[in-house]
Amino acid sequence: MYIPCVEIDLKKIEYNTKQLVNLCSNNGIEVMGITKGVCGQVDVAKAIIKGGVKKLGESRIQNIRALKHSGIDIPIYLIRIPMLSEVVDVVRWADGSLNSEIKVIKGLSESARSFGKDHRVILMVDVGDLREGVLPEHVIETVDEIIDLPGIEFEGIGTNLGCYGGIMASYKNMKLLVNLAKDIEREYGFEVKTLSGGNSSTISLLERGQLPSGINQFRIGEGILLGNEPSVSRPLPGTHQDAIILKTEAIEVKTKPSYPIGEIGHDAFGNIPAFEDKGPMRRAIVALGKQDCQIEDLSPMDTTIQILGASSDHLLLDVTQSCNTEVGTIIEFNLSYGALLGLMTSRYVAKYTI
Ligand SMILES: *Cc1c(COP(=O)(O)O)cnc(C)c1O
């Protein structure tokens, strides 16, 4: 085993997926399983499919290509609105995509025509988080342009919340989406098939019984991978929070002062660090650093261990209470989303599935 490594328990991923698919399907909602948190890792995607999802979503086209190459045959959607420069690959590899720019959708249409296939489009509506999406007042005019495009199947509308503006899903902003779908149906007389109401952070609304009827799809990543509901940062009931963990190795363990000796200037990242003098402290260095992930998003599974800080390749821990820690000891961490993204992307961190 190469260390540091991310260890992914596929059974737990499958279990988490089942739990969330059950919760959602009991309420008439399909789950699109989002794989971007694990860079589209194929075995994880297959565990998510085993857990019952019928559609996958991924933010990077390279990952979608790899998933398709692996033989996965359920529909995969590109969930980051496409670049104009990638429309050919988007049509080639993805079955559908989330979109907000008519210029791009026209590009998708041209590619779809040249491939002789149909590409599904979910039009994103910005209901307040100020990331992607057309504003509600521009939905009808945009749909008007989309429905005439050859090779494009207008599948529905969606919205994303919580990721940029931190705006939480509410009855009000979800109802806005439902009403827009009704407006479209009234205007054109066809059914808006998909109302994609958000991500892991919309689950709370469903549990509180405040999700307006009509929303029929959730795009869920973090909830499946980490069993976490991001908007309130709480474990999702009935899910595992340790389906994915990090293993690191201690490379130095020594008792040293807790206050640095000498004049304090800027650290490697341009900050002037502050320290509290706690007297002598048993300190461990593990071989991992800010180059690999956002350190604040790690938490030691041994709760007697505290994170002191990190530089690019060294993570410092207070192991005063953890007597067993010595050089060579494997120290494990739970992850939150930011850490997961960094670790999965770092080529210095191995990835294992169990
Ligand atoms: C990342 C993302 C999701 C999944 O969000 P989670 O919080 O991981 O569930 C859903 N939709 C879009 C558009 C995303 O970018």
Side-chain angles (χ1 to χ4, degrees), residues 34 36 79 98 131-132 160 199-200 219-222 230 337:
I34 305 299
K36 70 178 185 219
I79 61 161
L98 310 185
R131 208 179 72 179
E132 75 276 44
N160 196 62
N199 47 39
S200 299
R219 306 177 307 270
I220 302 183
E222 185 171 348
Y337 199 60

Side-chain angles (χ1 to χ4, degrees), residues 32 34 36-37 59 78-81 98 124 131-132 159-161 163 196 198-201 203 218-225 228 230 337:
M32 179 187 283
I34 305 299
K36 70 178 185 219
S59 55
L78 182 68
I79 61 161
R80 179 175 66 189
I81 51 173
L98 310 185
M124 294 301 274
R131 208 179 72 179
E132 75 276 44
T159 195
N160 196 62
L161 288 159
C163 284
S196 193
N199 47 39
S200 299
S201 63
I203 298 171
F218 283 178
R219 306 177 307 270
I220 302 183
E222 185 171 348
I224 291 173
L225 301 172
N228 187 48
Y337 199 60

Side-chain angles (χ1 to χ4, degrees), residues 116-263:
K117 63 186 202 185
D118 278 346
H119 185 79
R120 302 177 197 167
V121 163
I122 294 179
L123 179 66
M124 294 301 274
V125 183
D126 192 335
V127 297
D129 198 51
L130 303 186
R131 208 179 72 179
E132 75 276 44
V134 299
L135 292 170
E137 57 267 35
H138 296 138
V139 167
I140 292 284
E141 67 195 50
T142 311
V143 170
D144 205 61
E145 290 199 73
I146 296 173
I147 54 176
D148 287 333
L149 294 173
I152 296 296
E153 181 195 333
F154 171 68
E155 184 187 326
I157 56 178
T159 195
N160 196 62
L161 288 159
C163 284
Y164 170 71
I167 298 300
M168 295 179 39
S170 65
Y171 180 85
K172 201 170 160 210
N173 53 34
M174 288 294 120
K175 188 70 183 170
L176 178 57
L177 200 67
V178 173
N179 286 341
L180 285 166
K182 285 191 181 140
D183 291 345
I184 297 168
E185 291 180 344
R186 213 174 302 120
E187 184 85 16
Y188 298 103
F190 59 71
E191 184 203 10
V192 176
K193 236 194 282 174
T194 299
L195 265 87
S196 193
N199 47 39
S200 299
S201 63
T202 325
I203 298 171
S204 295
L205 202 63
L206 175 65
E207 285 177 329
R208 292 199 304 269
Q210 289 168 6
L211 188 80
S213 71
I215 301 290
N216 62 11
Q217 182 184 78
F218 283 178
R219 306 177 307 270
I220 302 183
E222 185 171 348
I224 291 173
L225 301 172
L226 298 173
N228 187 48
E229 206 278 53
S231 71
V232 286
S233 211
R234 97 189 145 122
L236 284 165
T239 62
H240 296 286
Q241 282 71 56
D242 59 353
I244 309 180
I245 63 166
L246 167 70
K247 293 186 170 180
T248 63
E249 182 176 332
I251 50 176
E252 180 187 295
V253 181
K254 291 187 194 306
T255 299
K256 294 186 185 179
S258 47
Y259 197 85
I261 302 145
E263 194 185 339

Side-chain angles (χ1 to χ4, degrees), residues 97-117:
S97 53
L98 310 185
N99 284 274
S100 67
E101 289 287 357
I102 194 67
K103 191 171 173 186
V104 174
I105 303 170
K106 284 179 176 164
L108 292 167
S109 165
E110 264 174 43
S111 301
R113 261 176 45 198
S114 71
F115 281 110
K117 63 186 202 185

Side-chain angles (χ1 to χ4, degrees), residues 35 39-46 49 56-58 60-73 76 93:
T35 55
C39 301
Q41 216 271 2
V42 168
D43 294 324
V44 176
K46 288 181 174 167
I49 294 170
L56 291 178
E58 185 27 78
R60 311 279 169 149
I61 198 68
Q62 302 93 314
N63 295 342
I64 296 183
R65 185 181 54 200
L67 289 166
K68 287 283 178 179
H69 271 307
S70 79
I72 288 174
D73 56 5
I76 308 180
W93 299 112

Side-chain angles (χ1 to χ4, degrees), residues 298-319:
L298 296 174
S299 30
M301 292 176 79
D302 175 347
T303 52
T304 68
I305 297 178
Q306 253 113 52
I307 293 179
L308 295 168
S311 57
S312 31
D313 313 290
H314 300 76
L315 170 59
L316 288 106
L317 306 174
D318 176 354
V319 294

